[in-house]
Amino acid sequence: MSALVSIVIPVYNAAPYLDECLKSVIDQSYQALEVIIINDGSTDQSEEIINRYVNQDSRITLINQQNHGLGYTRNKGISLSNGTYIFFLDSDDRIPAHAIQSLVKAAVKGDADYAAGKVIRFNEERKYIPIRHLEFNLYKKNEITALLDQPELLQDSIACNKLWKKDFVKRNNLHFTEGKYYEDLAFTMKGAVLAGKIAIVNSFVYEWRVREGEDKPSITQQQMKLQNTLDRISALSSNRQWLKANQIPVKIIQEHDLKSLLDLLRLHVIKYALIDDADRERWEDAVTSFINEIPADTALKLPAKEKKLYDIFFNKNYNELKLFSVIYTNTETTPIVFQESSRFLLKGEEKTHDVTKDFKPTVIISKIVSDDLGFEISGALTIPKASKQAVGEIYATVRGSKEKIILANVESEPVEEPHPYLFENQIYKAWIQAKAFKNVVRGSTLDLYFRLVDYPEYLPARIRVSPGVNTSDGIKEPVISLYRTNLGNMSIEIKAKNVLFGKALAKIKKILK
């Protein structure tokens, strides 16, 4: 008999996303589900949408309550659950069809206290893996492990990509913090530390939505309310005290210290310019106090960008920090970054900073046109902080090798719109000749990139394809196949041993995957 899984879904004014969320649940290949939906005082059409699903699927139960917040609601879901396992799903997210089945199989096989898998972030335009998961090489293979063997698992503090054994949760009194932001930081940290066995699944088990406008300054401004930062610091500091009080091994504490610095720098310090002036001094004191709890040598493990922010903040160079924050949050009204001598430079009050490596372009294909000799791509090009034209080129890397093929120069021109950096937003086109692939062996897959020729330290970027892009069809057996990857990027598959030319040259055919 299959183990029962309780899926707990807190809902608060999630009407635009609920159909996607709930459909992903009822479409699960694993059928032994108990779906507990708790409507946390929604004032939109959420309850009406939920009731449609309740009426069509007996596994779904709706509980209505006055608004109490996410922590309280998830805790209530735990108390109401009857399953052997518990899975938390936020109402604006969704889960792949085999997510629960994969997690249950791994948890049962490994007799694990919880199972965890890969996360993908998504919106209408693209999908991507969270940067922290990439940096720390999380969830790369199916395995049974423990935190002492892989302390880097602490870098993932999401509760929702994990299947929790209910007995483990209850036995260790794991619960979500109520009435504060970041209610899951204590739950996931203690869960990872206390788990005897953790099952890792090398597949995507959670799709985490990027809300429209989430990265806009107006939204970020709300995230920089003083209480938001204070709640993060409170959660991280409490976690650290718990680790020390319970004499947890040093390398786990050190990993949590690194995670804490990354959280604070990437999600709060980087947005220093957006703090309300009335709160600034208290904010500075709170962040300083917490950073002083963490051994200084932890900062040596930070990536270059975060180490720079750490040093500036630690030395109380707040005016300099504000300049960096302005360029990272894209809130400048006049140019403060300049292109000089193949570098992008920020001119601070005390010195000039090279920020070339801090930015990367965005290249989106909105149209592809092919003929007998090759294909032309065109669309939108963004080069952050560009105030003058820079030469760009497209190249391809061959998967599984270090081979790099230069494909084309890019022709571009700025979009006429008010902007501090006149060449940041551009339109472009590039002609890629089929003969560029003549020495690429059959079966090879190539990934396309864009880079600035005269600024070698400016990061290159994968070229993305807008959903629904159409091209003319080629012949039935094309020698080159263009396709959009699962993450929305542009790749090419070579179908023949060598690309032929002249009359025998095949046309290009694009395949959207």
Side-chain angles (χ1 to χ4, degrees):
M1 185 174 179
S2 299
L4 181 66
V5 174
S6 299
I7 299 182
V8 175
I9 310 176
V11 176
Y12 178 71
N13 290 348
Y17 315 107
L18 265 176
D19 274 314
E20 274 189 77
C21 174
L22 298 182
K23 188 175 187 303
S24 77
V25 172
I26 63 175
D27 286 348
Q28 287 297 297
S29 57
Y30 192 85
Q31 294 290 300
L33 302 177
E34 168 190 64
V35 186
I36 302 170
I37 305 176
I38 305 177
N39 179 26
D40 189 31
S42 295
T43 58
D44 63 358
Q45 302 302 309
S46 292
E47 184 178 355
E48 179 182 328
I49 295 169
I50 296 166
N51 277 324
R52 290 208 316 265
Y53 287 86
V54 171
N55 292 334
Q56 73 181 66
D57 196 321
S58 61
R59 299 173 299 173
I60 301 175
T61 301
L62 169 63
I63 291 92
N64 288 304
Q65 67 180 29
Q66 293 183 341
N67 182 256
H68 287 288
L70 188 55
Y72 175 97
T73 304
R74 282 178 172 170
N75 288 335
K76 185 172 183 177
I78 294 173
S79 67
L80 293 171
S81 65
N82 298 299
T84 303
Y85 296 98
I86 302 174
F87 185 87
F88 300 102
L89 171 61
D90 286 347
S91 55
D92 54 350
D93 299 334
R94 61 196 188 198
I95 46 179
H98 298 292
I100 301 299
Q101 182 173 323
S102 298
L103 289 167
V104 171
K105 181 179 178 181
V108 171
K109 182 178 179 181
D111 189 25
D113 292 314
Y114 72 86
K118 298 168 79 170
V119 176
I120 195 164
R121 299 220 66 185
F122 75 98
N123 59 18
E124 296 299 321
E125 289 294 324
R126 64 180 296 224
K127 297 178 180 180
Y128 62 94
I129 299 169
I131 183 65
R132 197 84 65 96
H133 292 203
L134 291 173
E135 286 175 321
F136 290 90
N137 295 310
L138 301 183
Y139 311 128
K140 290 295 185 181
K141 63 179 181 179
N142 297 322
E143 61 180 328
I144 301 298
T145 188
L147 191 63
L148 198 58
D149 298 321
Q150 296 188 34
E152 63 272 15
L153 290 173
L154 281 181
Q155 298 293 339
D156 173 21
S157 54
I158 304 167
C160 296
N161 64 327
K162 301 172 179 69
L163 183 77
W164 304 88
K165 185 181 287 186
K166 183 179 178 181
D167 176 67
F168 169 73
V169 171
K170 300 296 286 186
R171 180 165 25 93
N172 290 285
N173 191 30
L174 296 183
H175 61 274
F176 294 91
T177 305
E178 299 182 10
K180 291 187 176 183
Y181 296 109
Y182 314 116
E183 72 293 325
D184 52 356
L185 290 181
F187 187 104
T188 53
M189 185 277 290
K190 291 179 181 178
V193 171
L194 297 170
K197 294 180 182 178
I198 302 170
I200 301 300
V201 175
N202 179 27
S203 60
F204 290 106
V205 300
Y206 199 79
E207 298 183 357
W208 178 11
R209 185 184 300 273
V210 180
R211 291 280 194 110
E212 291 304 313
E214 187 171 307
D215 58 350
K216 291 182 178 179
S218 58
I219 302 299
T220 307
Q221 185 86 46
Q222 293 299 313
Q223 296 172 347
M224 282 306 293
K225 295 294 186 183
L226 176 63
Q227 195 58 52
N228 190 302
T229 302
L230 293 179
D231 283 357
R232 169 92 64 183
I233 289 172
S234 174
L236 293 173
S237 184
S238 294
N239 280 358
R240 191 171 197 277
Q241 291 169 20
W242 184 89
L243 290 168
K244 295 184 73 174
N246 287 275
Q247 299 181 327
I248 303 303
V250 171
K251 70 176 184 177
I252 291 176
I253 296 176
Q254 290 174 337
E255 189 73 33
H256 186 266
D257 283 346
L258 179 59
K259 174 204 161 34
S260 297
L261 279 186
L262 285 170
D263 280 6
L264 206 56
L265 292 164
R266 287 180 174 173
L267 302 171
H268 298 272
V269 173
I270 200 170
K271 302 167 187 172
Y272 178 79
L274 304 178
I275 303 166
D276 192 300
D277 287 339
D279 296 330
R280 196 173 298 277
E281 184 175 349
R282 189 178 172 197
W283 185 95
E284 290 168 356
D285 289 344
V287 175
T288 298
S289 178
F290 180 68
I291 282 182
N292 286 338
E293 290 183 26
I294 297 175
D297 59 359
T298 304
L300 300 177
K301 303 174 186 177
L302 292 169
K305 181 177 176 180
E306 287 72 19
K307 180 62 165 60
K308 182 163 48 184
L309 287 172
Y310 175 90
D311 289 341
I312 293 170
F313 182 87
F314 190 82
N315 291 310
K316 300 186 184 300
N317 294 330
Y318 296 133
N319 289 335
E320 210 81 346
L321 179 61
K322 192 170 185 178
L323 286 174
F324 275 96
S325 178
V326 164
I327 66 170
Y328 292 150
T329 56
N330 300 309
T331 51
E332 59 262 64
T333 55
T334 58
I336 57 175
V337 174
F338 302 92
Q339 292 165 256
E340 298 178 9
S341 304
S342 299
R343 297 182 298 165
F344 281 68
L345 303 175
L346 171 65
K347 295 186 176 179
E349 293 184 352
E350 299 181 2
K351 65 177 183 178
T352 297
H353 304 271
D354 187 342
V355 295
T356 312
K357 295 180 179 180
D358 293 350
F359 301 101
K360 64 187 300 185
T362 300
V363 186
I364 300 175
I365 298 173
S366 58
K367 187 177 181 181
I368 304 176
V369 179
S370 63
D371 64 19
D372 288 348
L373 298 177
F375 56 95
E376 181 182 80
I377 61 174
S378 58
L381 167 64
T382 302
I383 305 176
K385 315 308 175 188
S387 53
K388 60 184 180 181
Q389 190 63 281
V391 177
E393 71 178 11
I394 292 173
Y395 66 90
T397 60
V398 181
R399 287 188 196 171
S401 77
K402 296 181 180 180
E403 185 179 357
K404 182 184 294 185
I405 305 168
I406 305 300
L407 297 179
N409 287 327
V410 172
E411 299 176 24
S412 63
E413 60 183 45
V415 176
E416 294 185 6
E417 62 179 3
H419 196 282
Y421 300 97
L422 297 180
F423 286 82
E424 178 160 317
N425 296 318
Q426 304 186 53
I427 55 173
Y428 79 93
K429 63 180 179 180
W431 171 254
I432 299 175
Q433 299 185 60
K435 67 181 181 181
F437 308 102
K438 65 180 180 180
N439 294 321
V440 182
V441 299
R442 179 182 181 181
S444 296
T445 299
L446 294 83
D447 298 318
L448 266 61
Y449 288 83
F450 170 90
R451 74 178 188 97
L452 296 182
V453 175
D454 298 325
Y455 299 84
E457 292 190 330
Y458 200 96
L459 296 174
R462 283 285 267 125
I463 296 176
R464 289 159 39 192
V465 185
S466 290
V469 169
N470 293 313
T471 66
S472 56
D473 285 342
I475 61 175
K476 292 182 179 180
E477 296 295 335
V479 292
I480 304 175
S481 173
L482 280 64
Y483 69 92
R484 186 175 188 265
T485 71
N486 291 332
L487 295 179
N489 297 320
M490 171 78 154
S491 291
I492 296 174
E493 184 179 356
I494 305 300
K495 294 287 191 178
K497 184 174 183 180
N498 290 299
V499 178
L500 304 178
F501 303 99
K503 295 181 180 180
L505 180 69
K507 291 185 177 181
I508 309 302
K509 182 178 180 181
K510 170 178 158 291
I511 301 174
L512 286 181
K513 290 187 177 179

